[in-house]
Amino acid sequence: MAAAELQGKYQKLAQEYSKLRAQNQVLKKGVVDEQANSASLKEQLKMKDQSLRKLQQEMDSLTFRNQQLAKRVELLQDELALSEARGKKNKKSVESSSQLSQEQKSVFNEDLQKKIEENERLHILFFEADEQHKRLEAELRSRLEVLETDAAQHQAVVDSLTKKYTETIEKLQNDKAKLEIKSQTLEREAKDCRLRTEECQQQLKNLQAALGSRLEESLCIINEKVPFNDTRSARYNALNVPLHNRRNQLKLRDLAGQAMAFVQELVTALLNFHTYTEQKVQIFPIDSATDTISPLNQKFSQYLHENASYVRPLEEGMLHLFESITEDTVTVLETTVKLKAFSEHLASYLGFLRKILPYQLKSLEEECESSLCTAALRARNMELHRDMKRLTAVFEKLHMYVSLLALPSTRPEGLLRTNYNFVFTNIAASLHGFHDILKDISKHYSQKAALEQEVPTATQKLITTNDCILSSVAALTNGAGKMASFFSNNLDHFSASLSYGPKGAAEFISPLSAECMLQYKKKAAAFVKSLRKPCADSVPYEEALSNRRVLLSSTESREGLAQQVQQSLEKIAKLEQEKEHWMLEAQLAKIKLEKENQKLKNSLSGHLTETIQEHSVLPNIAEQKKETTEKSLREPIKSTSLAPDVESREDLIKTHYMARIAELTSHLQLADSKSVHFHAECRALAKRLSLAEKSKESLTEELKLASQNITRLQDELMTTKRSYEDQLSMMSDHLCSMNETLTKQREEIDTLKMTSKGNSKKNKNR
């Protein structure tokens, strides 16, 4: 789970990294586009500068020309004044000079007028150029502001992306380190798995060899000991119970239930169709309420009145077939005996259709011969004439294939299992054909009903009957379509599930063998049910896990407890030996005591009145300590003054030593138990210490690998940082160059403004 989570995180980070790279590429493209735009703007500025220079040159030439013209006009005016002064002296010369001056004036006026017009045109061109220059300057300024804002935004985006890149690089490096550690552990596990697979392969070879030898032995035993093999004979193998497939049985029961529902819909639709057809025959073309209908229609209506006795058994047969398919049975064609009854009911209904078909065709022909029948209605009747023949033919096909499916339950040789699939596919095709015919009948009946409504003698009863017939035909069409799609969808399941049999056999031999097999199956199920016993209550999963944790975390293992038991048994044996030794010592001490008492009796025979009563033998010192003390206290003192002192002294010494022995034994037992406990704890601590050392070694190896990975990742990080710093420095240099170009463009624009303003002022002055 941890590996999957790490892999998912790594994939998410890789996706984010790819997204960021794509954004970086988009930003790079934007910077390149802006560079291209700035280059194009530079070119445009150059072109505008060239045009402005040309215009300035033209303006200079025009101003120079204007100055020349002004000087020429002044000279002409001076000449005119001189000529006027001379004219006063000589009138004749004045007349001639006046004529010449008038001609010169006219020439000069024309020339002046042309120059004035040319000057006006140049002023207009200059004004237009100035306006265009102002517009261009405003556009360039707006574009310059947009470019500055875009550059600031791009710089902010670049800064954010660099931060994101650094964060994602750190995350990816951490994840990479974790994944490398995980990969190393997985490599170790893979090595272990390889070793295990080699061991398993070796075990498999050994098992194959052992199983081969056992197979040979079992085959020899079977050949020697088994006198009869029922699977070799098809007759006997048919009696064997096949493997029970409960899911298959439930699926078949479900499918049978669906088929029964579809058959019920078809039965109700057929009943309605035949009933409303009977009503239609008695109404049209002649109404039986007003006039007598033809004998043919009377016979036809009489037969149609009997439709329920032929249609209802179809539903009953399908219901019995559905009830025969249960969860406990083996449903194959050899065991579905009720399918034969359903095929018989279908045969009886087919006989009913064959019986009414000639009357129905004659009735349609008689209707065509009546005076109320138009040409269009006659064409619809002939179409229905053909449809009824096709309907009966489809039912004949369905009956034939259903009777073939019923053959294995009565005569298995009539239909082989290899032909099951062929029969099922033909049934599906027949059902689709049945659906198509019913669609044609519905279409033709609807057209016929519409034409009959236009007949002048059409009554409301005829219209309602036609509507009822159309609704019943529509229900028949829907039911047939559902049945056809249902059968074609489950065709493979029918072919596979209805054709299995006993193990090693292709089919059942006869229906009798299938019935015997079902009886054997019931007996086997009852026997298995009788053998089935309720399972004991199992330990809950959580409780078992807690018990396992307690068992693993306990300081005393099974081996330690076994050793403790062994040591305690050895100590018990030693204590038994010591007990026997001390019993013997006690008996010897008792004998010595008796001898000492006898000596005392002999030495003090004159002074003592009564002898000291004999002490009872102490078979067990630990068990009869109290008894000895009580006896010593109960003994009557009938001796002299020296005897009671000796007896009391001995009793005191004895009780003291007995109490001391009991105390020492209890201390010894406590010390033994503590030593055993400490020994177990020491063993557990030693195991823990060994495990800790192993884990320490593994952790040191992992630490070395992690340090190596960290150094490698740091180197990679430094290289990536350097590359990103280089890219950022390049981008910053590029932005600085763009800013410089923009400042240059601003300066050029300002100079152009100044020159244009100066030119405009000069022009205004002129």
Side-chain angles (χ1 to χ4, degrees), residues 364-394:
L364 288 170
E365 291 173 0
E366 184 178 340
E367 186 178 344
C368 291
E369 292 174 357
S370 66
S371 60
L372 297 173
C373 186
T374 59
L377 187 58
R378 191 176 294 109
R380 300 291 84 76
N381 287 332
M382 295 310 294
E383 288 174 352
L384 287 172
H385 191 278
R386 290 190 294 272
D387 292 338
M388 292 302 168
K389 288 181 180 179
R390 290 168 61 199
L391 183 64
T392 307
V394 165

Tab-separated table of all heavy atoms in Angstrom, residues 364-394:
chain	number	residue	atom	x	y	z
A	364	LEU	N	-61.673	-13.067	-45.644
A	364	LEU	CA	-61.060	-11.886	-46.249
A	364	LEU	C	-61.449	-11.753	-47.721
A	364	LEU	O	-61.713	-10.648	-48.217
A	364	LEU	CB	-59.543	-11.957	-46.104
A	364	LEU	CG	-58.984	-11.744	-44.693
A	364	LEU	CD1	-57.501	-12.079	-44.650
A	364	LEU	CD2	-59.209	-10.314	-44.235
A	365	GLU	N	-61.503	-12.890	-48.438
A	365	GLU	CA	-61.907	-12.846	-49.843
A	365	GLU	C	-63.361	-12.418	-49.981
A	365	GLU	O	-63.720	-11.637	-50.882
A	365	GLU	CB	-61.699	-14.226	-50.466
A	365	GLU	CG	-60.221	-14.603	-50.607
A	365	GLU	CD	-60.046	-16.034	-51.064
A	365	GLU	OE1	-61.081	-16.715	-51.257
A	365	GLU	OE2	-58.887	-16.488	-51.215
A	366	GLU	N	-64.203	-12.911	-49.091
A	366	GLU	CA	-65.621	-12.518	-49.115
A	366	GLU	C	-65.778	-11.033	-48.816
A	366	GLU	O	-66.623	-10.356	-49.408
A	366	GLU	CB	-66.380	-13.360	-48.087
A	366	GLU	CG	-67.888	-13.122	-48.086
A	366	GLU	CD	-68.592	-14.010	-47.088
A	366	GLU	OE1	-68.006	-15.044	-46.685
A	366	GLU	OE2	-69.718	-13.683	-46.703
A	367	GLU	N	-64.962	-10.529	-47.904
A	367	GLU	CA	-65.001	-9.107	-47.596
A	367	GLU	C	-64.561	-8.279	-48.796
A	367	GLU	O	-65.110	-7.201	-49.061
A	367	GLU	CB	-64.083	-8.835	-46.403
A	367	GLU	CG	-64.143	-7.402	-45.898
A	367	GLU	CD	-63.258	-7.192	-44.686
A	367	GLU	OE1	-62.846	-8.191	-44.076
A	367	GLU	OE2	-62.978	-6.015	-44.364
A	368	CYS	N	-63.579	-8.791	-49.573
A	368	CYS	CA	-63.141	-8.078	-50.773
A	368	CYS	C	-64.236	-8.048	-51.843
A	368	CYS	O	-64.327	-7.108	-52.640
A	368	CYS	CB	-61.891	-8.740	-51.352
A	368	CYS	SG	-60.436	-8.536	-50.310
A	369	GLU	N	-65.095	-9.088	-51.883
A	369	GLU	CA	-66.152	-9.150	-52.894
A	369	GLU	C	-67.359	-8.303	-52.549
A	369	GLU	O	-68.239	-8.115	-53.394
A	369	GLU	CB	-66.586	-10.607	-53.069
A	369	GLU	CG	-65.506	-11.482	-53.703
A	369	GLU	CD	-65.900	-12.954	-53.722
A	369	GLU	OE1	-67.005	-13.251	-53.183
A	369	GLU	OE2	-65.132	-13.783	-54.240
A	370	SER	N	-67.430	-7.802	-51.308
A	370	SER	CA	-68.601	-7.002	-50.915
A	370	SER	C	-68.552	-5.636	-51.599
A	370	SER	O	-67.505	-5.172	-52.055
A	370	SER	CB	-68.635	-6.838	-49.400
A	370	SER	OG	-67.535	-6.060	-48.993
A	371	SER	N	-69.719	-4.995	-51.674
A	371	SER	CA	-69.829	-3.705	-52.365
A	371	SER	C	-69.187	-2.566	-51.583
A	371	SER	O	-68.831	-1.534	-52.150
A	371	SER	CB	-71.313	-3.378	-52.612
A	371	SER	OG	-72.005	-3.315	-51.360
A	372	LEU	N	-69.014	-2.742	-50.258
A	372	LEU	CA	-68.430	-1.681	-49.445
A	372	LEU	C	-66.912	-1.623	-49.553
A	372	LEU	O	-66.291	-0.645	-49.143
A	372	LEU	CB	-68.810	-1.892	-47.969
A	372	LEU	CG	-70.303	-1.816	-47.648
A	372	LEU	CD1	-70.528	-2.204	-46.190
A	372	LEU	CD2	-70.845	-0.418	-47.912
A	373	CYS	N	-66.318	-2.658	-50.099
A	373	CYS	CA	-64.851	-2.747	-50.132
A	373	CYS	C	-64.320	-1.937	-51.310
A	373	CYS	O	-64.667	-2.169	-52.466
A	373	CYS	CB	-64.435	-4.211	-50.249
A	373	CYS	SG	-62.655	-4.442	-50.130
A	374	THR	N	-63.434	-0.996	-51.003
A	374	THR	CA	-62.793	-0.195	-52.039
A	374	THR	C	-61.534	-0.905	-52.531
A	374	THR	O	-61.145	-1.960	-52.031
A	374	THR	CB	-62.440	1.189	-51.491
A	374	THR	OG1	-61.556	1.018	-50.383
A	374	THR	CG2	-63.688	1.928	-51.016
A	375	ALA	N	-60.896	-0.274	-53.522
A	375	ALA	CA	-59.679	-0.891	-54.087
A	375	ALA	C	-58.549	-0.902	-53.051
A	375	ALA	O	-57.808	-1.894	-52.919
A	375	ALA	CB	-59.250	-0.131	-55.336
A	376	ALA	N	-58.396	0.215	-52.313
A	376	ALA	CA	-57.343	0.266	-51.289
A	376	ALA	C	-57.598	-0.744	-50.179
A	376	ALA	O	-56.691	-1.444	-49.717
A	376	ALA	CB	-57.267	1.676	-50.700
A	377	LEU	N	-58.868	-0.861	-49.775
A	377	LEU	CA	-59.209	-1.832	-48.733
A	377	LEU	C	-59.000	-3.258	-49.220
A	377	LEU	O	-58.549	-4.140	-48.463
A	377	LEU	CB	-60.661	-1.619	-48.301
A	377	LEU	CG	-61.161	-2.420	-47.094
A	377	LEU	CD1	-60.314	-2.128	-45.873
A	377	LEU	CD2	-62.619	-2.101	-46.820
A	378	ARG	N	-59.284	-3.481	-50.516
A	378	ARG	CA	-59.061	-4.819	-51.083
A	378	ARG	C	-57.552	-5.149	-51.082
A	378	ARG	O	-57.157	-6.288	-50.780
A	378	ARG	CB	-59.621	-4.853	-52.514
A	378	ARG	CG	-59.691	-6.248	-53.107
A	378	ARG	CD	-60.337	-6.229	-54.480
A	378	ARG	NE	-61.737	-5.840	-54.420
A	378	ARG	CZ	-62.230	-4.692	-54.859
A	378	ARG	NH1	-61.418	-3.789	-55.429
A	378	ARG	NH2	-63.514	-4.416	-54.765
A	379	ALA	N	-56.716	-4.162	-51.375
A	379	ALA	CA	-55.260	-4.403	-51.348
A	379	ALA	C	-54.779	-4.723	-49.934
A	379	ALA	O	-53.958	-5.631	-49.723
A	379	ALA	CB	-54.528	-3.174	-51.877
A	380	ARG	N	-55.338	-4.010	-48.942
A	380	ARG	CA	-54.944	-4.307	-47.554
A	380	ARG	C	-55.404	-5.701	-47.140
A	380	ARG	O	-54.688	-6.418	-46.429
A	380	ARG	CB	-55.557	-3.264	-46.603
A	380	ARG	CG	-55.159	-1.830	-46.848
A	380	ARG	CD	-53.700	-1.541	-46.511
A	380	ARG	NE	-52.786	-1.854	-47.569
A	380	ARG	CZ	-52.606	-1.115	-48.677
A	380	ARG	NH1	-53.290	0.006	-48.863
A	380	ARG	NH2	-51.745	-1.474	-49.616
A	381	ASN	N	-56.581	-6.092	-47.583
A	381	ASN	CA	-57.077	-7.429	-47.246
A	381	ASN	C	-56.197	-8.518	-47.855
A	381	ASN	O	-55.926	-9.550	-47.220
A	381	ASN	CB	-58.516	-7.596	-47.727
A	381	ASN	CG	-59.497	-6.815	-46.865
A	381	ASN	OD1	-59.244	-6.589	-45.682
A	381	ASN	ND2	-60.616	-6.389	-47.442
A	382	MET	N	-55.714	-8.288	-49.077
A	382	MET	CA	-54.845	-9.289	-49.705
A	382	MET	C	-53.485	-9.354	-48.994
A	382	MET	O	-52.879	-10.435	-48.876
A	382	MET	CB	-54.646	-8.950	-51.187
A	382	MET	CG	-55.925	-9.044	-52.017
A	382	MET	SD	-56.838	-10.591	-51.781
A	382	MET	CE	-55.685	-11.768	-52.459
A	383	GLU	N	-53.015	-8.208	-48.526
A	383	GLU	CA	-51.771	-8.234	-47.744
A	383	GLU	C	-51.952	-9.021	-46.453
A	383	GLU	O	-51.086	-9.828	-46.065
A	383	GLU	CB	-51.332	-6.803	-47.436
A	383	GLU	CG	-50.790	-6.052	-48.645
A	383	GLU	CD	-50.495	-4.603	-48.335
A	383	GLU	OE1	-50.868	-4.161	-47.222
A	383	GLU	OE2	-49.911	-3.901	-49.189
A	384	LEU	N	-53.111	-8.807	-45.766
A	384	LEU	CA	-53.391	-9.599	-44.565
A	384	LEU	C	-53.565	-11.072	-44.904
A	384	LEU	O	-53.210	-11.956	-44.097
A	384	LEU	CB	-54.641	-9.070	-43.863
A	384	LEU	CG	-54.485	-7.741	-43.114
A	384	LEU	CD1	-55.844	-7.241	-42.645
A	384	LEU	CD2	-53.573	-7.942	-41.909
A	385	HIS	N	-54.106	-11.364	-46.096
A	385	HIS	CA	-54.252	-12.742	-46.579
A	385	HIS	C	-52.882	-13.437	-46.591
A	385	HIS	O	-52.710	-14.575	-46.103
A	385	HIS	CB	-54.886	-12.696	-47.984
A	385	HIS	CG	-55.332	-14.011	-48.505
A	385	HIS	ND1	-54.458	-14.891	-49.106
A	385	HIS	CD2	-56.554	-14.616	-48.533
A	385	HIS	CE1	-55.110	-15.966	-49.482
A	385	HIS	NE2	-56.407	-15.832	-49.142
A	386	ARG	N	-51.869	-12.742	-47.140
A	386	ARG	CA	-50.512	-13.305	-47.182
A	386	ARG	C	-49.886	-13.379	-45.781
A	386	ARG	O	-49.181	-14.340	-45.459
A	386	ARG	CB	-49.637	-12.450	-48.099
A	386	ARG	CG	-50.001	-12.566	-49.570
A	386	ARG	CD	-48.960	-11.906	-50.444
A	386	ARG	NE	-48.911	-10.467	-50.256
A	386	ARG	CZ	-49.673	-9.596	-50.929
A	386	ARG	NH1	-50.542	-10.027	-51.852
A	386	ARG	NH2	-49.580	-8.302	-50.699
A	387	ASP	N	-50.169	-12.358	-44.939
A	387	ASP	CA	-49.575	-12.344	-43.601
A	387	ASP	C	-50.078	-13.495	-42.751
A	387	ASP	O	-49.307	-14.096	-41.973
A	387	ASP	CB	-49.887	-11.019	-42.903
A	387	ASP	CG	-49.178	-9.846	-43.565
A	387	ASP	OD1	-48.160	-10.086	-44.249
A	387	ASP	OD2	-49.639	-8.709	-43.417
A	388	MET	N	-51.352	-13.852	-42.880
A	388	MET	CA	-51.891	-14.957	-42.087
A	388	MET	C	-51.259	-16.282	-42.488
A	388	MET	O	-50.991	-17.150	-41.651
A	388	MET	CB	-53.416	-15.011	-42.220
A	388	MET	CG	-54.119	-13.829	-41.581
A	388	MET	SD	-53.694	-13.718	-39.832
A	388	MET	CE	-54.321	-12.108	-39.427
A	389	LYS	N	-51.024	-16.472	-43.777
A	389	LYS	CA	-50.325	-17.685	-44.219
A	389	LYS	C	-48.919	-17.737	-43.628
A	389	LYS	O	-48.464	-18.789	-43.144
A	389	LYS	CB	-50.255	-17.710	-45.746
A	389	LYS	CG	-51.574	-17.986	-46.438
A	389	LYS	CD	-51.364	-18.018	-47.942
A	389	LYS	CE	-52.668	-18.285	-48.684
A	389	LYS	NZ	-52.469	-18.304	-50.147
A	390	ARG	N	-48.222	-16.606	-43.668
A	390	ARG	CA	-46.860	-16.566	-43.107
A	390	ARG	C	-46.862	-16.822	-41.598
A	390	ARG	O	-45.966	-17.493	-41.066
A	390	ARG	CB	-46.233	-15.206	-43.393
A	390	ARG	CG	-45.897	-14.983	-44.852
A	390	ARG	CD	-45.565	-13.515	-45.114
A	390	ARG	NE	-44.414	-13.087	-44.332
A	390	ARG	CZ	-44.129	-11.820	-44.074
A	390	ARG	NH1	-44.936	-10.850	-44.524
A	390	ARG	NH2	-43.057	-11.510	-43.370
A	391	LEU	N	-47.894	-16.301	-40.891
A	391	LEU	CA	-47.980	-16.509	-39.445
A	391	LEU	C	-48.128	-17.987	-39.112
A	391	LEU	O	-47.455	-18.520	-38.216
A	391	LEU	CB	-49.153	-15.698	-38.886
A	391	LEU	CG	-49.352	-15.744	-37.375
A	391	LEU	CD1	-48.164	-15.119	-36.666
A	391	LEU	CD2	-50.630	-15.019	-36.981
A	392	THR	N	-49.001	-18.677	-39.848
A	392	THR	CA	-49.175	-20.118	-39.602
A	392	THR	C	-47.898	-20.881	-39.921
A	392	THR	O	-47.514	-21.819	-39.197
A	392	THR	CB	-50.339	-20.643	-40.453
A	392	THR	OG1	-51.495	-19.834	-40.221
A	392	THR	CG2	-50.661	-22.079	-40.102
A	393	ALA	N	-47.187	-20.482	-40.964
A	393	ALA	CA	-45.933	-21.152	-41.319
A	393	ALA	C	-44.875	-20.957	-40.227
A	393	ALA	O	-44.115	-21.883	-39.897
A	393	ALA	CB	-45.419	-20.617	-42.654
A	394	VAL	N	-44.816	-19.767	-39.631
A	394	VAL	CA	-43.856	-19.517	-38.554
A	394	VAL	C	-44.172	-20.376	-37.341
A	394	VAL	O	-43.271	-20.945	-36.695
A	394	VAL	CB	-43.841	-18.019	-38.195
A	394	VAL	CG1	-43.142	-17.778	-36.873
A	394	VAL	CG2	-43.140	-17.233	-39.271
